[in-house]
Amino acid sequence: MSNKFGLIGGKLGHSLSPAIHQLFFEYTGKTGSYELLETELEALPELMGKLREGYVGTNVTIPHKLHVMPLLDKIAPEAAAIGAVNTIKFTPEGALGYNTDYFGFGRMLEYNDIKVNSKVCAVLGTGGAARAVVKYLADKKCAKLYLVTRDVYRVDSHFAKIAPKIKVIDYARLDALQGDVLVNCTPVGMFPKVEAAPVSAEVSFAFNASVDLIYNPAQTLFLKQAAEAGNKAVNGLFMLVAQAVAAQEIWQGERYDSDLIVRIMSELEKRI
């Protein structure tokens, strides 16, 4: 049986995925190879044909998470609802699509004891990662859910399907909010532009917990603001590893506990 895995995407030079999956193989005793599969959009159908023949599974990243969906035979409910696939399993029955960002985000919240049920949550940004985050928060029945964007009139209507009760607001209205969990799904504050934050310190103070999907730097200005207020501040490295482990759970047909995620994360922190 083939033990080949990989990552489908556009530009993949700085991806941590090979390191994460190699550590997974090392720590679990599983055998496998994981390679970067850079491809242009027009070459995606041809690549998928080749992968069906020799791969157990692949991850999918920007810009192919939506474009790969018509090329699959079946899509899991959470991925269909989110409207994006980031994990594919190749089986005799065909290519199956999943979204493990959803599960990775959830495991990160659980590990850090951040409760969202019946809480007021706000999500910054409207990209693909925000879709998975919004779906998870809606499924966990937060009391109020806000999607924050610079232009409320240009938000993808799919968000209303993911979370029918979501309220789309701009950053000016966010300034007046008090809440529980604030999630940054924007690239603002990512290396090398580490001096920027998506919101003011006052906004960070108004939420009990701040979660940043960025993991480099480990502490963004957004998280520093939260920590200085004495609030919980969590970066995105756990989610990055957790979504990769969730993909391996799909491919291997086994469940892994959070100790493995933490072990891989600790090794990665030395390398970033």
Side-chain angles (χ1 to χ4, degrees):
M1 177 186 165
S2 164
N3 285 311
K4 291 171 76 173
F5 306 89
L7 174 65
I8 302 169
K11 302 236 181 319
L12 300 173
H14 299 292
S15 173
L16 287 175
S17 290
I20 294 171
H21 289 279
Q22 290 303 330
L23 287 167
F24 170 87
F25 296 138
E26 183 182 327
Y27 293 155
T28 61
K30 301 287 183 185
T31 57
S33 64
Y34 191 97
E35 60 187 305
L36 298 177
L37 303 163
E38 283 193 5
T39 186
E40 299 295 328
L41 179 57
E42 53 272 19
L44 193 56
E46 183 185 353
L47 175 65
M48 284 292 293
K50 291 177 182 175
L51 296 177
R52 284 173 182 268
E53 298 303 314
Y55 279 69
V56 177
T58 60
N59 294 122
V60 186
T61 190
I62 296 168
H64 300 321
K65 288 185 180 184
L66 277 64
H67 300 297
V68 79
M69 294 177 76
L71 305 174
L72 303 175
D73 301 293
K74 190 175 179 183
I75 297 171
E78 82 287 338
I82 291 164
V85 160
N86 80 334
T87 298
I88 301 169
K89 182 175 184 178
F90 298 102
T91 75
E93 291 76 44
L96 316 179
Y98 302 84
N99 191 303
T100 62
D101 286 337
Y102 177 93
F103 299 107
F105 179 69
R107 286 185 82 165
M108 175 173 66
L109 294 186
E110 288 167 12
Y111 181 76
N112 289 283
D113 196 29
I114 296 174
K115 305 282 196 299
V116 294
N117 179 264
S118 302
K119 303 292 185 183
V120 176
C121 303
V123 177
L124 311 177
T126 58
R131 285 185 175 200
V133 168
V134 164
K135 171 64 175 162
Y136 183 87
L137 294 174
D139 284 354
K140 295 301 174 183
K141 297 184 168 45
C142 55
K144 290 184 180 175
L145 180 54
Y146 296 92
L147 184 66
V148 189
T149 178
R150 287 191 296 264
D151 188 348
V152 297
Y153 299 106
R154 295 186 64 186
V155 172
D156 187 340
S157 61
H158 195 83
F159 279 99
K161 295 177 186 172
I162 298 171
K165 294 182 181 177
I166 200 165
K167 290 189 174 124
V168 181
I169 63 171
D170 60 19
Y171 283 85
R173 280 195 62 197
L174 177 66
D175 289 343
L177 271 188
Q178 286 280 132
D180 298 294
V181 182
L182 183 62
V183 186
N184 178 36
C185 298
T186 79
V188 178
M190 187 181 288
F191 182 83
K193 296 182 179 178
V194 297
E195 73 291 341
V199 295
S200 67
E202 288 74 21
V203 170
S204 296
F205 294 170
F207 284 79
N208 299 324
S210 290
V211 177
D212 202 335
L213 300 199
I214 293 170
Y215 54 84
N216 186 11
Q219 190 181 48
T220 56
L221 179 56
F222 173 73
L223 294 181
K224 283 179 188 170
Q225 291 172 176
E228 284 166 8
N231 297 336
K232 192 165 281 191
V234 177
N235 75 19
L237 192 58
F238 190 100
M239 177 177 168
L240 179 73
V241 177
Q243 64 81 26
V245 170
Q248 286 288 352
E249 289 179 336
I250 290 166
W251 299 330
Q252 306 289 347
E254 296 181 25
R255 173 81 174 165
Y256 301 97
D257 61 30
S258 291
D259 291 346
L260 175 62
I261 297 170
V262 173
R263 194 176 173 197
I264 294 172
M265 188 172 73
S266 298
E267 179 58 34
L268 278 184
E269 285 173 334
K270 300 174 191 172
R271 303 183 186 187
I272 296 175

